[in-house]
């Protein structure tokens, strides 16, 4: 069944302004509402949030009422999930219904455009590929029965572009299937999806096994409402892929990572056939490759579990990160399994010992870090890996000063997914032990996410100490 239209969807003029059709890409479908709400919030666009409950992630079409075309253009300018925004002229369950709706809703502005502007009509189907002959017939029927365009057809450079969109819903794609919804409207803007190709990770010199794909990094920057002149940090920065879209949005970027070899391009290359890393592989040079070096703040080898190096509190406008899940290798933090006493001479070039960094502690530390160093109103966006069968919303780490804004799922396989969490700081930092981050539920059931990921039977799992560390466990690959 195709998704039901949301209320008032087909009335072009409404008390809210005009009606627009959002035409989404069929990708990262669980993130649509979160991105839309974050962008509307960032631009101060009045989005009727109550309508969003009708948004069905199986359907790429969604009707919204916006105050102006400028609002629609602004939303599209940043969205990486919207393909196009279309000013909706009419809608129907069948083509006949659509024609009826178009005849009724036609106004003087529409008639003027149809008479004077050169135009092109694109016909597109969701869940069925439409033969060219069929598309031409559809355009002929539309222009004969409902909208008698008298402007010039211009397929290369039209003044106005129109879309006739057919939604075949989830039904089987057989040759006889008929559309379940049909939309017609005037193209207003495309989303910012070209930037996904421009920022493709493989085109950069410095990449690693866990570099975040461009569409998700761009999405994270949108959920954190990253804008010009902000200061953004990724405390688990790796190859800095999350910082690229932030710099692209003209925010100054910083990062920390415990892995000296990676940050200094001395770690094993992740590219097939590349034997050694080139010394000029760096986050700074990646940014320079996009002409964004001016937004490079600094990258430091540092442990995200220790925040003592920051002198000023509440300096970051956004914290955006993908913490280690301990799958390829166990996450580490600075610490000692046994007490070591150093002479002053030894301290000079001493490389501190590292111990396992348990996943629950990573998130507790991350929220405490955000509470201390994020400005009030700033956003923290991070990935939280989950075992789907055990997941409940209470599993999401929480902090009394951080409001949960959105929580979207990206499925990895039948058992495992990760959730993209966005939180907003709602209270200024003050020294108070009781305001520490909390995780009430042990989401990993006293095991490790790695065991869950690889489905390790219970009797072969290593026990977890009260600190959450597994000092006796074998190092995962
Ligand atoms: C999932 S990766 C992040 C990848 C990154 N988004 C990128 O684009 O390459 C997690 C990173 O956290 C780092 N890490 C692990 N433990 C850490 C710690 N205690 N403090 C800081 N970084 C740590 C790892 O070295 C790794 O680079």
């Amino acid at each position: 069944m195709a998704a039901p239209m949301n209320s008032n969807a087909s009335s072009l003029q409404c008390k809210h302004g005009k009606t627009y059709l959002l035409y989404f890409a069929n990708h990262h479908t669980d993130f649509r509402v979160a991105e839309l709400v974050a962008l509307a919030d960032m631009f101060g666009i009045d989005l009727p949030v109550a309508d969003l409950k009708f948004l069905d992630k199986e359907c790429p079409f969604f009707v919204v009422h916006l105050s102006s075309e400028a609002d629609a253009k602004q939303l599209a300018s940043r969205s990486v999930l919207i393909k196009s925004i279309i000013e909706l002229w009419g809608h129907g369950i069948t083509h006949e219904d659509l024609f009826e709706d178009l005849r009724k809703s036609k106004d003087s502005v529409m008639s003027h455009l149809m008479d004077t502007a050169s135009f092109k009509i694109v016909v597109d189907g969701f869940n069925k590929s439409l033969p060219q002959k069929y598309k031409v017939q559809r355009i002929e029927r539309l222009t004969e029965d409902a909208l008698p365009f008298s402007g010039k057809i211009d397929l290369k450079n039209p003044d106005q572009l129109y879309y006739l969109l057919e939604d075949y819903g989830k039904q089987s794609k057989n040759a006889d299937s008929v559309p379940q919804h049909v939309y017609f409207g005037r193209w207003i803007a495309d989303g910012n999806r070209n930037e996904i190709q421009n920022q493709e990770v493989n085109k950069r010199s410095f990449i690693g096994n866990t570099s975040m794909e461009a569409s998700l990094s761009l999405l994270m920057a949108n959920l954190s409402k990253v804008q010009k002149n902000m200061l953004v940090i990724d405390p688990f920065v790796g190859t800095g892929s999350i910082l690229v879209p932030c710099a692209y949005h003209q925010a100054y970027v910083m990062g920390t990572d415990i892995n000296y070899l990676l940050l200094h391009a001395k770690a094993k290359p992740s590219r097939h056939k590349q034997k050694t890393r080139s010394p000029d592989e760096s986050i700074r040079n990646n940014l320079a490759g996009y002409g964004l070096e001016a937004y490079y703040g600094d990258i430091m080898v540092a442990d995200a579990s220790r925040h003592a190096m920051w002198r000023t509190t509440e300096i970051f406008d956004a914290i955006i990160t993908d913490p280690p899940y301990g799958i390829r290798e166990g996450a580490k933090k600075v610490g000692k399994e046994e007490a070591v006493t150093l002479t002053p001479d030894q301290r000079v070039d001493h490389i501190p010992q590292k111990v396992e960094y348990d996943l629950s502690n990573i998130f507790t530390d991350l929220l405490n870090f955000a509470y201390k160093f994020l400005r009030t109103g700033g956003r923290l966006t991070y990935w939280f890996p989950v075992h789907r069968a055990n997941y409940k919303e209470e599993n999401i780490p929480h902090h009394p000063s951080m409001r949960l804004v959105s929580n979207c799922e990206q499925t990895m396989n039948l058992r495992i997914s990760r959730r993209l969490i966005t939180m907003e700081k709602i209270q200024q930092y003050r020294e108070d032990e009781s305001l520490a981050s909390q995780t009430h539920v042990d989401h990993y059931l006293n095991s490790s996410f790695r065991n869950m990921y690889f489905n390790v039977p219970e009797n072969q799992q290593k026990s977890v100490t009260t600190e959450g560390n597994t000092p006796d466990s074998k190092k995962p690959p």
Side-chain angles (χ1 to χ4, degrees):
M1 255 225 354
M5 290 271 294
N6 34 323
S7 56
N8 290 335
S10 57
S11 55
L12 182 60
Q13 290 286 353
C14 61
K15 61 177 184 329
H16 209 84
K18 271 193 177 173
T19 306
Y20 295 89
L21 181 69
L22 305 184
Y23 183 10
F24 285 101
N26 201 21
H27 199 211
H28 302 319
T29 56
D30 197 42
F31 299 78
R32 288 173 181 164
V33 172
E35 192 200 41
L36 207 54
V37 172
L39 296 182
D41 199 27
M42 183 171 87
F43 290 124
I45 292 172
D46 186 10
L47 186 72
V49 178
D51 284 0
L52 297 178
K53 65 175 179 287
F54 295 101
L55 199 148
D56 172 357
K57 60 182 178 183
E58 306 284 340
C59 172
F61 304 112
F62 185 66
V63 177
V64 284
H65 302 300
L66 297 171
S67 322
S68 68
E69 191 171 310
D71 284 357
K73 285 187 168 153
Q74 233 175 358
L75 280 179
S77 71
R78 276 288 292 246
S79 173
V80 284
L81 301 183
I82 292 173
K83 261 209 270 197
S84 304
I85 301 191
I86 290 146
E87 180 187 82
L88 191 64
W89 283 17
H91 157 259
I93 303 292
T94 64
H95 281 274
E96 295 315 316
D97 290 345
L98 168 69
F99 296 166
E100 181 69 34
D101 197 29
L102 286 170
R103 285 190 289 263
K104 270 199 318 225
S105 58
K106 200 163 73 179
D107 64 15
S108 57
V109 178
M110 287 158 70
S111 300
H112 177 70
L113 283 174
M114 284 162 48
D115 291 345
T116 57
S118 68
F119 74 99
K120 172 180 172 178
I121 300 176
V122 173
V123 183
D124 207 358
F126 172 65
N127 243 349
K128 186 171 178 180
S129 61
L130 307 175
Q132 188 55 26
K133 192 169 158 204
Y134 173 87
K135 291 182 180 178
V136 173
Q137 283 168 354
R138 280 288 151 223
I139 294 172
E140 283 171 1
R141 281 285 312 280
L142 173 93
T143 50
E144 280 159 21
D145 290 9
L147 297 176
F149 282 87
S150 54
K152 196 169 108 238
I153 296 174
D154 183 345
L155 300 184
K156 278 208 177 123
N157 196 16
D159 297 329
Q160 298 295 335
L161 178 63
Y162 296 92
Y163 272 91
L164 176 60
L165 296 165
E166 296 186 343
D167 178 7
Y168 285 82
K170 292 169 226 166
Q171 62 189 329
S172 66
K173 299 174 194 172
N174 62 44
D176 310 327
S177 58
V178 291
Q180 298 182 347
H181 287 284
V182 196
Y183 305 91
F184 183 83
R186 183 172 71 95
W187 173 87
I188 299 296
D190 283 337
N192 195 24
R193 292 185 58 76
N194 282 346
E195 211 39 48
I196 300 173
Q197 270 81 53
N198 294 344
Q199 293 184 23
E200 208 184 286
V201 167
N202 275 332
K203 293 181 186 160
R204 294 178 201 154
S205 71
F206 183 42
I207 60 168
N209 284 328
T210 52
S211 295
M212 181 65 60
E213 63 166 280
S215 59
L216 292 174
S217 302
L218 282 154
L219 193 56
M220 292 170 89
N222 282 352
L223 295 180
S224 267
K225 304 196 291 182
V226 171
Q227 279 173 295
K228 192 173 174 173
N229 292 334
M230 282 186 166
L231 180 61
V232 179
I233 188 165
D234 178 351
F236 300 96
V237 74
T239 57
S241 49
I242 294 170
L243 300 185
V244 173
C246 300
Y248 158 75
H249 291 306
Q250 301 176 292
Y252 296 94
V253 294
M254 298 184 73
T256 59
D257 199 290
I258 202 165
N259 191 338
Y260 171 93
L261 293 177
L262 179 70
L263 289 191
H264 287 85
K266 290 180 177 14
K268 202 168 163 257
S270 58
R271 277 200 175 88
H272 186 55
K273 288 188 181 156
Q274 187 184 340
K275 293 242 161 30
T276 49
R277 284 194 183 263
S278 133
D280 58 7
E281 282 185 39
S282 68
I283 293 173
R284 183 181 204 135
N285 283 344
N286 275 357
L287 291 179
Y290 296 102
L292 298 172
E293 199 179 352
Y295 298 102
Y296 179 86
D298 208 353
I299 301 293
M300 282 162 280
V301 178
D303 180 353
S305 72
R306 297 180 174 235
H307 312 142
M309 70 174 161
W310 307 104
R311 288 223 198 129
T312 322
T313 55
E314 309 197 311
I315 46 171
F316 299 111
D317 297 291
I319 300 171
I320 312 181
T321 197
D322 182 25
Y325 315 152
I327 293 173
R328 286 190 179 82
E329 55 181 77
K332 299 280 183 200
K333 64 176 178 175
V334 171
K336 292 179 200 144
E337 278 162 24
E338 287 162 24
V340 184
T341 318
L342 298 170
T343 62
D345 282 356
Q346 285 171 325
R347 261 187 218 130
V348 176
D349 54 1
H350 171 70
I351 298 175
Q353 244 188 331
K354 291 180 197 144
V355 294
E356 298 291 326
Y357 193 7
D358 173 66
L359 205 47
S360 307
N361 293 339
I362 288 181
F363 292 105
T364 304
D365 290 347
L366 180 63
L367 265 69
N368 285 332
F369 177 70
Y371 174 46
K372 195 160 181 188
F373 295 103
L374 194 59
R375 73 165 162 80
T376 309
R379 286 193 169 188
L380 163 68
T381 295
Y382 62 96
W383 289 99
F384 181 73
V386 301
H387 184 248
R388 300 183 76 199
N390 299 329
Y391 170 75
K392 296 188 210 72
E393 197 172 311
E394 309 99 86
N395 296 144
I396 301 301
H398 46 274
H399 189 288
S401 301
M402 303 292 292
R403 174 178 76 87
L404 180 66
V405 175
S406 61
N407 169 359
C408 311
E409 183 180 29
Q410 185 193 26
T411 311
M412 315 294 256
N413 59 41
L414 283 176
R415 288 175 301 109
I416 301 294
S417 68
R418 57 180 182 175
R419 307 197 71 104
L420 185 56
I421 309 295
T422 297
M423 296 177 150
E424 194 165 284
K425 185 165 156 187
I426 50 173
Q427 198 177 310
Q428 214 179 355
Y429 173 74
R430 63 191 151 89
E431 273 313 322
D432 182 348
E433 288 286 309
S434 70
L435 288 174
S437 164
Q438 300 149 21
T439 319
H440 284 320
V441 183
D442 174 16
H443 174 73
Y444 305 105
L445 300 178
N446 213 22
S447 173
S448 73
F449 180 67
R450 187 180 190 277
N451 283 338
M452 289 177 158
Y453 187 88
F454 290 112
N455 223 358
V456 179
E458 222 167 278
N459 58 3
Q460 289 170 32
Q461 294 181 9
K462 303 284 176 186
S463 64
V464 178
T465 66
T466 42
E467 285 255 289
N469 300 332
T470 51
D472 59 344
S473 65
K474 272 198 204 133
K475 226 184 183 188

